[in-house]
Amino acid sequence: MSVLVPTEGDKAVPPVGRLLLTQEDLILEADAEFCRLFGFMPHALAGVRFESILTRASQILYQLHFSPSLRLNGKTERVRFALKSGRAEAVQIVVSASVTLIEEAVHYEFLVSPDR
């Protein structure tokens, strides 16, 4: 399922992919739109740590800012990262995330779009 996130004014709405992660930052599922946008096979990301598909600089931002902020505040909005795509290229992305409960277990839902 892809989600459309409105942007300012009459600008086009960018495509958005969705990731679902465990509390340990392991990817449980990546939707078809995320895989299409960033060149991954649908089931190839299951069990992979999210930060492992980020560039080194983005991994540091993720570890020191994004992940702690998400855990403390229950959400983060519009943080920019560089992703190592399935096509072996660095792609600038924007991520918004929130905490969600599934069967009484905490999970993280990430909405990811290319940074334009």
Side-chain angles (χ1 to χ4, degrees):
M1 171 180 120
S2 68
V3 180
L4 297 179
V5 178
T7 59
E8 300 171 12
D10 294 325
K11 295 179 184 176
V13 176
V16 176
R18 178 182 168 273
L19 294 174
L20 185 65
L21 278 69
T22 66
Q23 276 188 294
E24 294 78 27
D25 296 325
L26 298 174
I27 298 172
L28 284 177
E29 63 183 60
D31 75 358
E33 186 69 5
F34 179 88
C35 293
R36 183 189 69 76
L37 286 169
F38 305 111
F40 291 104
M41 297 301 293
H43 298 288
L45 292 173
V48 171
R49 284 186 138 342
F50 175 71
E51 67 187 68
S52 73
I53 63 172
L54 299 175
T55 64
R56 185 65 187 134
S58 289
Q59 288 175 359
I60 294 168
L61 175 63
Y62 183 82
Q63 293 167 355
L64 296 179
H65 172 71
F66 187 89
S67 185
S69 179
L70 177 59
R71 292 177 197 314
L72 287 172
N73 300 317
K75 68 176 185 172
T76 59
E77 294 185 17
R78 301 197 51 81
V79 177
R80 288 177 170 78
F81 293 107
L83 173 89
K84 296 181 287 190
S85 77
R87 295 179 284 276
E89 59 191 17
V91 177
Q92 299 300 312
I93 60 171
V94 177
V95 180
S96 294
S98 62
V99 172
T100 185
L101 289 176
I102 299 175
E103 297 177 6
E104 299 184 31
V106 173
H107 290 80
Y108 304 115
E109 181 177 45
F110 287 19
L111 299 179
V112 185
S113 63
D115 189 11
R116 300 190 188 246

